[in-house]
Amino acid sequence: MTENEALLAIEEIRQHLEGVSFVAHRDASQVLPVVRERFGAEAALDWLEHARDLFFHDREAGKAFIRNTETAIEACHCLDWVEQAGAFIRWRGTDKALEAFMPQVGEAIAELGAEGEQAWFEIGLRWLGRHLESGTAYFRTSWRELTGGKGSEGIEELLAPAERLFQERRVALGSYIAGAMRVRDLVGPDGLGQWVRRGGDILQASRQRGEAFFRLESPESIGLLLEAVPGYRSRDHARLLQLLQQAWFGRSHPFGEAAWIPGDGRPLADTDGATIYLPVVFPDRDEAVAAVIHVAGHIELGTYDADAIEALFTEAGMAHPPVDADQRITWRPLYAAYGDELFRFQLLFDLCEDLRVDAALDRMVPGHLHRVLELAGRRVPPGGNARPYWDLALASVRGALAQDTLDERLRPLLGPDARLVHAFRIANRLFEASSELPTPDMADRDAAYLPGRGPNASRPVYPRTPGEGEGTPEEAEEMQAARDEDGAGQDESPDVQEDPDWSIPPEQTGGSGGRIGSGINTATVVTGTRRQRTTEQVGTGHPEWDYRDQAYKPDWAWVQEKELDERDPEGVSAIMAEQGATLTRLKRALQMQKPQRMAPKRRQLDGEELDVEAAMDFVTEKRAGSSPEPYVYKHRTPQHRDTAVMLLADLSTSIMAPAESGEGRVVDRLRAGMLLFSEALETIGDQFALAGFASKYRDNVSFYPIKEFGAGLDAEARATMAGINGRLATRMGAAIRHACARFRHVGADRRLLLILSDGRPADYDDGGDPRYLHEDTRMAVKEAVDKGIHPFCLTLDPAGSDYLPAIFGPGHYLVLDNVNDLPRRLPEVYLRLRSA
C-alpha cells in the first residue's frame, strides 16, 4: 500500500468515527499525528483500524486504547502491542481488562523485552478465556509485582498453584493473587506452596473460609504467614524483654500483640499507656530491645501522664481531653486541627517527644542514643516523602550526641525539666517553619521513624498517675485484667457524648477508621477478642444481609428516629447570600423544567373536544339500562412526570474535616448543597423530603428527619440544614431501608432516593471486614429498586469509584472531584435524574 492510499483510508475511518462519536474522533485525531510521524502512514492506518474495531466492540475499550497510546509509545518506542490490544475483542466485557493493560504495556516491553512481555500478555489472555473477572484481576495487578523480580518465570511460579485451584476448586484469580504475591515475597516459592496446600484443605471443608484464607482475611491464614516470616519473635523472648524493663525501670509493663500483618509496612511497637503492643516479628533482636525500652520510656517519662496530657490539650485550646467509655484519651481532636497536614505535624511532634524521651533514657540507660544511631546506620533509609523526616530525626540524634549541629529550637528538649507540652510547642514552631517539607501519607509516616521508634499516639491511651503500675509483670497483668473488667461494665452504660472518637470500642484497632486525622473514614481493622455488647432493640428493626452466610439476619439493625437539635437561622442568610449567583442561575434552569408540552386529560365532564372512547362506553352503558355519568369530553393540560425524591445525607464524623481547598469544612458545603437543593425543588414544585443518618453499632442507627413529604419548606427546616454537624459512622444499608419505608404513602410516577455521602459504608462493629457493610448496602439498593425506588449516590470520596459500581451499579453514582462543587452540582444532578 502506498502512503497516499494509506492516508486516504485513514481519512475515511476518521470521517466514519466523526459520524459515530465526537469523542472517539477527537481523541484519535490528536494521537494520529504522533503515530504517523514516528512509524509512517501504513502503521498509523493499522493503529486506527484497531482503535475503530475496539471502539465498536466496546466504547470504553476503544477510548482506553486511544488515550493510552502516547504513553505506551513513549515507554517502548514501538507498536508491537497494537495486535495484542486487538485480541481483547475476542470476549465481551473486556473493557476493564484493556483499561488496565494499556497503561502497563509500554513499560513491560521496555523492561521485560518483547519475549518477556509477550509471555506476560499471553498468561493474562489465558485467564481471560477461562474467567473474565480473573483475567481482569490479572491485568489490574502491576506486572512488576507479578514477576517478583524474576521476569515471566516469576509470574508462572506465582500462578501455577492458581491454575490448579481454578480447575479443581473454581477459585477466581481475584481471590488468590494479592495474598499469594505477599506470601511469595515474604517466604519464597516453597513457603507459597505450603500456604496454598493448607488453603486447599480449608477450602475443601468450607468455601467461605477457604476464600478468606487466600485473601489473607482469616486469622488462620495470617497466623500461618506470621509463623513463616523470618525475624526475632517477640512472643518467644517476652520474658527477656520483661526483665530488661525491670532492670532499667524497676518495673515492667505487660505485652500485647500489635495488629500487624507482614507486607503492611514496617513492624512498629506502640502502647495505650498501660500495655506495650509488639508486632509478632522484629527484623532483629537489637531493634526489638530498642523498641521495648523506647516505648516503656515514654510510659515512664510522662508522655501518657494525666497531668501532662491535660496540659497538652490546654495548650492546644481544648478545655478537657476527650475520654471514651473506658476512660481512655483519644488523640484525634488534637491532630484534626492540622487537616491535610496531619501526618506532617505528627512526625514533627513525635520527633520532638522522641528526642525528649530518648535524651532522658540516655541518662538512665548508658549508650541508648548511640544504639539508636547504630541501628539507623544498619537500615536502608526510606525513599519518597518519608526520607526528609528520617533525615531530620537522624540529625536530631546526632546533634544530641554532639556529632552534628543541633537545631537550637530542639535544645530545650535535652534538659531534665523538659515535658510533653514543651515538645508540642517546639513541634508547632517547626511545623510553621517547615512548609517546604513534603506532605506524607500514612505509609510514608510509618516508614519515616528511626528503628525502635513509632507513632506515639496511634491508639487511645489510659492516662497515668505517678507511681501507677509498679510491681511485677504478673501484678501488671492483673491490673490490666481488672481495668478490662471495669471497662466491660462501662460499655453498657449510656453514652454521654455522641461522637465516635469519644466512644471507641475496646478492641485492638488498626487502620484510620476516621479516628486519628481528618477526612473520609477508611475501613477499621479489628483484632483480638471482642468484648460482647448488650444490644438494645429500640426503634424499627431492619434485616441485614450477611454475605458470608448468604442470608439475611432478621431485625438485625435497629433505627431510631431522632430530631436534630442544632439550629442556625443566621447561617441560612449567610449561605444564601454566598450562593446567590448559583441560586439565580438554577432558577433560570428551573423554568426550563416547568411543564410545557400539552397532553389530553380524558373522561371529563366538559372539555374542548369529545372523548370518542368514553362516549362509546357511555352509550353502551345507557342502552344496557344503567345511568352513567356523562364523562365524555377531554381537554389538554401541561404534561409532566410526577416525581418524588428523598435526599438522604450521610452525617458521619468525617464531614467535619477541612475542605481540600483550605477554605472552611466539608460540612459547610453540605449545608449549602442541601439548602440550594431544597430551594430548587420548592421552586419546581416536586414532592421531596430531607433526612440525615449516622450510626454507632447495629442497634443504634440514627435517622434524622428534616423535612417530610407533604410538609412545607419552613424556617425551621432551613435552620436545621444550616446547623448540621457530623457524628458517628455510616451504616448505610439500614438507613436506605428506613428511607424507602417513608415512600410507602407517596403517590408519584417516579420515586428517587438521592444519597449524599463522603465515604464508604462502615461502622464500629463491622469486625474490620469492609466487604460486610458494602454487601449489605448493595442488597438494600436492590431491595429499593424492587420497590420501584431508584437510588443514586453522590459522593465526595475520591475513592468512590472503587466500590460504588458494585453497590449502586454503573451510572447510578457520581464522584465529585471537588467538594466546593457540591452546592451547584447537587440540584443539577437531581434535575438531570428527574428528566431521565
Side-chain angles (χ1 to χ4, degrees):
M1 176 181 287
T2 66
E3 182 174 1
N4 286 337
E5 288 173 336
L7 292 174
L8 182 61
I10 287 172
E11 190 56 33
E12 288 176 356
I13 296 174
R14 286 183 66 248
Q15 290 178 10
H16 186 197
L17 283 176
E18 186 175 19
V20 173
S21 168
F22 166 77
V23 172
H25 174 265
R26 180 199 63 196
D27 291 352
S29 297
Q30 289 174 351
V31 178
L32 261 173
V34 177
V35 179
R36 181 187 167 195
E37 182 181 338
R38 296 286 295 274
F39 305 104
E42 192 169 345
L45 173 61
D46 181 59
W47 175 86
L48 187 58
E49 287 174 340
H50 279 85
R52 175 199 61 197
D53 294 345
L54 282 164
F55 185 81
F56 288 141
H57 169 71
D58 186 296
R59 286 175 176 262
E60 296 306 316
K63 291 176 188 176
F65 176 83
I66 296 169
R67 292 172 181 176
N68 286 282
T69 288
E70 290 189 68
T71 303
I73 291 174
E74 186 177 341
C76 67
H77 309 291
C78 70
L79 292 176
D80 296 351
W81 45 269
V82 170
E83 294 295 330
Q84 294 178 348
F88 285 79
I89 292 178
R90 296 182 196 174
W91 306 280
R92 283 283 173 194
T94 55
D95 57 303
K96 298 298 182 186
L98 183 64
E99 286 174 6
F101 166 81
M102 283 300 301
Q104 298 198 74
V105 62
E107 198 175 79
I109 292 174
E111 297 195 28
L112 293 176
E115 187 176 340
E117 186 276 337
Q118 182 69 24
W120 165 72
F121 164 73
E122 287 178 354
I123 293 169
L125 214 61
R126 285 204 309 269
W127 278 101
L128 277 175
R130 289 190 191 106
H131 184 233
L132 194 63
E133 290 184 7
S134 292
T136 302
Y138 174 89
F139 283 114
R140 279 180 168 169
T141 307
S142 162
W143 66 265
R144 188 173 283 106
E145 293 178 7
L146 285 170
T147 65
K150 297 181 180 179
S152 58
E153 294 81 4
I155 304 178
E156 295 283 5
E157 185 180 79
L158 175 73
L159 296 187
E163 306 258 2
R164 294 192 300 273
L165 283 170
F166 184 80
Q167 291 167 7
E168 297 170 8
R169 308 286 184 193
R170 302 299 292 175
V171 175
L173 200 56
S175 297
Y176 167 87
I177 197 165
M181 286 193 303
R182 184 179 292 186
V183 172
R184 177 202 60 190
D185 294 344
L186 289 166
V187 299
D190 292 338
L192 174 64
Q194 295 172 13
W195 179 76
V196 170
R197 284 192 291 275
R198 177 59 179 151
D201 294 341
I202 295 171
L203 193 69
Q204 190 168 3
S206 166
R207 183 165 194 85
Q208 179 182 323
R209 281 179 56 210
E211 291 194 348
F213 178 95
F214 285 116
R215 290 195 299 268
L216 286 181
E217 293 175 358
S218 73
E220 195 167 16
S221 179
I222 294 167
L224 277 174
L225 184 58
L226 288 170
E227 287 175 12
V229 172
Y232 185 83
R233 301 190 171 279
S234 51
R235 189 183 300 166
D236 296 344
H237 303 279
R239 186 60 180 162
L240 168 65
L241 298 174
Q242 290 282 16
L243 289 172
L244 284 172
Q245 290 186 75
Q246 194 75 31
W248 293 117
F249 307 116
R251 56 180 167 179
S252 59
H253 306 278
F255 292 140
E257 193 170 294
W260 173 78
I261 301 174
D264 282 350
R266 284 175 51 195
L268 302 172
D270 67 342
T271 182
D272 61 4
T275 300
I276 299 175
Y277 294 95
L278 302 177
V280 173
V281 238
F282 278 100
D284 54 41
R285 175 185 177 278
D286 290 344
E287 184 161 342
V289 170
V292 169
I293 292 176
H294 177 79
V295 176
H298 275 285
I299 298 173
E300 296 294 325
L301 295 166
T303 300
Y304 308 113
D305 284 359
D307 57 350
I309 298 177
E310 185 81 30
L312 177 65
F313 276 81
T314 301
E315 178 76 15
M318 301 175 191
H320 300 287
V323 178
D324 69 7
D326 283 338
Q327 299 304 304
R328 297 175 301 180
I329 289 175
T330 172
W331 301 81
R332 180 195 181 273
L334 187 72
Y335 291 107
Y338 297 88
D340 292 340
E341 296 295 313
L342 156 69
F343 292 135
R344 181 163 72 91
F345 175 76
Q346 186 179 9
L347 282 170
L348 293 172
F349 182 28
D350 283 350
L351 181 153
C352 294
E353 180 62 2
D354 286 344
L355 182 62
R356 180 189 78 83
V357 168
D358 281 338
L361 281 173
D362 199 56
R363 295 189 288 271
M364 301 167 60
V365 183
H368 174 71
L369 280 174
H370 283 283
R371 291 190 185 91
V372 172
L373 204 59
E374 182 187 354
L375 274 172
R378 296 186 206 166
R379 302 285 181 259
V380 177
N385 290 343
R387 180 61 184 268
Y389 298 93
W390 170 282
D391 290 342
L392 279 175
L394 201 57
S396 72
V397 175
R398 287 184 178 134
L401 291 170
Q403 295 181 9
D404 203 345
T405 303
L406 179 67
D407 188 324
E408 286 302 317
R409 292 169 294 188
L410 299 175
R411 192 167 296 282
L413 299 174
L414 304 183
D417 297 328
R419 296 291 180 268
L420 175 66
V421 71
H422 302 139
F424 182 72
R425 289 172 186 163
I426 293 171
N428 273 295
R429 290 201 288 272
L430 294 175
F431 178 79
E432 292 169 4
S434 62
S435 57
E436 76 285 352
L437 284 173
T439 301
D441 58 20
M442 188 176 288
D444 294 326
R445 181 200 67 178
D446 291 349
Y449 290 98
L450 297 181
R453 294 181 176 181
N456 296 327
S458 59
R459 63 176 74 224
V461 298
Y462 294 102
R464 299 174 56 80
T465 55
E468 180 182 349
E470 292 188 11
T472 65
E474 291 75 18
E475 290 170 338
E477 288 172 357
E478 289 173 6
M479 179 186 299
Q480 180 66 18
R483 193 195 306 274
D484 287 348
E485 192 171 320
D486 291 341
Q490 291 171 4
D491 250 20
E492 298 172 9
S493 63
D495 295 311
V496 177
Q497 171 59 257
E498 264 202 345
D499 186 326
D501 303 308
W502 296 19
S503 306
I504 298 172
E507 298 92 341
Q508 301 170 26
T509 58
S512 71
R515 291 182 170 86
I516 293 181
S518 59
I520 296 165
N521 291 343
T522 58
T524 302
V525 179
V526 182
T527 61
T529 302
R530 174 172 301 180
R531 183 178 304 151
Q532 295 298 318
R533 296 179 61 256
T534 301
T535 59
E536 296 184 7
Q537 298 182 349
V538 179
T540 304
H542 292 279
E544 192 162 274
W545 176 256
D546 190 334
Y547 78 94
R548 296 162 296 199
D549 297 332
Q550 291 293 295
Y552 280 101
K553 299 175 179 176
D555 289 340
W556 188 254
W558 289 81
V559 179
Q560 297 94 44
E561 294 195 3
K562 302 175 182 178
E563 183 179 347
L564 285 170
D565 296 328
E566 304 97 334
R567 302 281 191 280
D568 188 2
E570 292 79 12
V572 177
S573 302
I575 291 171
M576 299 313 290
E578 181 186 355
Q579 302 292 335
T582 303
L583 185 58
T584 300
R585 184 175 56 78
L586 276 172
K587 285 184 175 180
R588 284 199 298 266
L590 291 172
Q591 299 305 316
M592 305 291 292
Q593 294 281 335
K594 293 272 179 95
Q596 302 291 332
R597 188 158 57 90
M598 305 298 286
K601 192 171 184 179
R602 302 181 60 244
R603 297 184 183 273
Q604 303 297 307
L605 278 171
D606 55 61
E608 297 92 353
E609 56 185 297
L610 189 68
D611 185 337
V612 176
E613 184 180 340
M616 291 175 65
D617 290 343
F618 175 80
V619 171
T620 301
E621 291 180 28
K622 192 83 171 172
R623 287 181 177 176
S626 300
S627 301
E629 294 291 334
Y631 290 94
V632 295
Y633 295 96
K634 60 184 177 182
H635 65 84
R636 294 184 174 274
T637 58
Q639 175 179 298
H640 63 93
R641 296 191 69 171
D642 189 12
T643 305
V645 62
M646 171 176 279
L647 176 64
L648 182 61
D650 170 8
L651 303 185
S652 59
T653 306
S654 52
I655 65 171
M656 305 306 292
E660 56 195 18
S661 64
E663 300 176 4
R665 298 167 298 170
V666 172
V667 70
D668 300 327
R669 310 302 189 270
L670 175 66
R671 294 165 179 166
M674 292 184 72
L675 274 167
L676 286 191
F677 175 84
S678 305
E679 297 294 341
L681 268 71
E682 189 78 355
T683 300
I684 205 171
D686 283 348
Q687 300 180 72
F688 71 100
L690 305 167
F693 75 95
S695 67
K696 179 186 171 187
Y697 307 118
R698 66 179 179 88
D699 59 336
N700 188 14
V701 182
S702 301
F703 189 91
Y704 302 100
I706 299 172
K707 178 196 172 297
E708 303 282 5
F709 286 112
L713 182 63
D714 55 19
E716 184 177 355
R718 291 184 172 98
T720 301
M721 285 184 273
I724 279 173
N725 283 303
R727 66 207 67 214
L728 309 175
T730 312
R731 206 175 200 99
M732 193 178 289
I736 290 174
R737 292 183 179 96
H738 200 76
C740 288
R742 303 178 84 82
F743 280 96
R744 190 177 297 124
H745 303 297
V746 176
D749 296 337
R750 182 173 176 79
R751 298 183 294 173
L752 299 174
L753 178 59
L754 187 54
I755 300 159
L756 179 58
S757 179
D758 71 340
R760 63 184 71 234
D763 207 344
Y764 299 100
D765 58 355
D766 61 10
D769 180 358
R771 186 180 170 191
Y772 175 74
L773 288 179
H774 283 209
E775 290 292 326
D776 174 62
T777 306
R778 181 180 66 82
M779 292 300 287
V781 168
K782 181 179 182 298
E783 294 161 27
V785 173
D786 291 343
K787 293 175 183 175
I789 299 167
H790 303 280
F792 186 94
C793 184
L794 187 68
T795 185
L796 305 173
D797 184 357
S801 298
D802 295 341
Y803 57 89
L804 288 177
I807 296 176
F808 288 90
H812 295 280
Y813 70 92
L814 178 66
V815 179
L816 281 188
D817 295 328
N818 192 324
V819 68
N820 294 327
D821 293 338
L822 176 62
R824 171 179 59 85
R825 294 298 302 277
L826 180 55
E828 288 178 355
V829 166
Y830 170 70
L831 294 177
R832 191 185 73 199
L833 293 173
R834 180 185 184 275
S835 59

